[in-house]
Amino acid sequence: MRVLDAIGHALAVAGSMTWEITWSLILGFTLSAVVQAVIRRQTIVRLLGDDRPKTLVRATGFGAASSSCSYAAVALARALFRRGASFTAAMTFEIASTNLVIELGIIMALLLSWQFTLAEFAGGPIMIVLVAVAFRLFVRRKLIDAARQQADRGLAGSMEGHAAMDMSIQSEGSFWRRLLSREGYTSVSQIFVMEWAAVIRDVVIGLLIAGAVGAWVPDTFWQHLFLTGHPLAAKLWGPLIGPVISLLSFVCSIGNVPLAAVLWNGGISFGGVIAFIFADLIIIPILVIYRKYYGTRMMLTILGIFYAAMVLAGYAVEFAFGGLGLIPAERVARVAETGITWNYTTILNIVFLLLAAALLIRFFRSGGRAMLTMMGGSPDGHH
């Protein structure tokens, strides 16, 4: 009976968090789908051929606009690299497309606070600059050439078919004319549903893990792990341990935000939360994919550079936001069991669920079922 009660408690916590973020997920993916619908894939490839600062700024912007789950982002970065983008630009695109996206910021604001959203969008560019500098200083041309040779073998990783699909609007005209056309509606619906299909597994797993951890793990465990009795040590330890927890959790993309909320309530430092969220690109399954895509040496290089950049970006956020007085004084992330009540969250959920239903109907009426079957696909597919 106690086991059933414990499972019920964990599911209730997960369900409460799900209800809190449903409307924001739909809003974020809709806005992302609108942006992706009007940006053509070939335009992105053409503008990312080197690693100059101007190019990396473009890669950051395109990545933030081309929101993807972590697996699809990694596959798309390899596709860009194979088509002529520089390796650094491809990695920049990958980081931005998972860590600087609309839906991530909205959910962080809801479950954590607006300060975390601001820190995410401030720390992301810092991490990108650190990664770019590290690749320039420490990665030799010989290693990049070997990685390109391995990438050109076209070994399948995950979400290859999804990454190969270009669902943008192909007709000409102004932004609004293209977007409000019948083709625009179809394109937005296809991107919206395919993005959901790509992340739904991680979102569900992340919510279940966060519910279980929030319900079952006592606060004293986190307090000892995060050194909460030693303020300076906690600030130094948080960004170091945050990515390690993420690496071992096997959860990525938006799915790790609920767990980040649990960790924040448990005592991890502000910078530790940001480093934890950045680390969705070095979880163990993705490291296996890097090895398949680029070879063992480049996989280890990516792991080392990304980890160091995440830690340093976490420190930058911790001490900059601390100095500005922007770190929340209380740890009240929304992970408690609250249930469903008639409030603004319920109203917004109803409105946005109706929007999602309209896009879902359009998706299936425009032949979307076949697209879902091709999500695994081939890295050399053109759908």
Side-chain angles (χ1 to χ4, degrees), residues 15 20 64 77 96 100 108 114 128 133-134 143 163 263 294 302 328 330 340 345 356 379:
E20 288 289 336
L100 295 176
M108 289 181 70
W114 64 267
I128 287 171
V133 171
L143 181 56
L263 298 180
Y294 307 120
I302 292 172
E330 298 181 356
I340 298 174
T345 299

Side-chain angles (χ1 to χ4, degrees), residues 21-30 162 190-201 203 356 372 375:
I21 67 174
T22 295
W23 71 267
S24 62
L25 278 172
I26 297 171
L27 171 61
F29 279 115
T30 302
H162 179 59
Q190 290 175 345
I191 296 169
F192 175 84
V193 176
M194 293 300 289
E195 289 292 326
W196 263 105
V199 304
I200 190 66
R201 176 187 62 184
V203 171
L372 289 173
M375 285 189 68

Side-chain angles (χ1 to χ4, degrees), residues 6 9 46 84 87 113 127 158 184 210 300:
H9 186 198
R46 179 168 52 83
F87 190 78
S113 69
M127 178 181 169
S158 180
L300 293 173

Side-chain angles (χ1 to χ4, degrees), residues 218-239 241 245 262-270 272-273 318 329-331:
D219 291 339
T220 52
F221 172 83
W222 298 121
Q223 290 165 4
H224 284 96
L225 179 62
F226 299 136
L227 308 178
T228 56
H230 308 277
L232 179 58
K235 292 178 181 179
L236 297 176
W237 177 238
I241 192 63
I245 296 173
V262 173
L263 298 180
W264 171 246
N265 282 353
I268 194 172
S269 68
F270 186 79
V273 171
E318 176 72 46
E330 298 181 356
R331 297 177 179 270

Side-chain angles (χ1 to χ4, degrees), residues 127 239-244 282 302-312:
M127 178 181 169
L240 290 171
I241 192 63
V244 176
I282 58 169
I302 292 172
L303 172 60
I305 289 176
F306 275 23
Y307 176 76
M310 291 162 188
V311 171
L312 293 174

Side-chain angles (χ1 to χ4, degrees), residues 314-329:
Y315 284 146
V317 165
E318 176 72 46
F319 291 105
F321 277 60
L324 294 172
L326 291 177
I327 296 178

Side-chain angles (χ1 to χ4, degrees), residues 3 59 101 173 177 186 192 212 268 274 378:
V3 173
V101 294
R177 183 176 179 182
T186 300
F192 175 84
I268 194 172
I274 300 303
S378 163

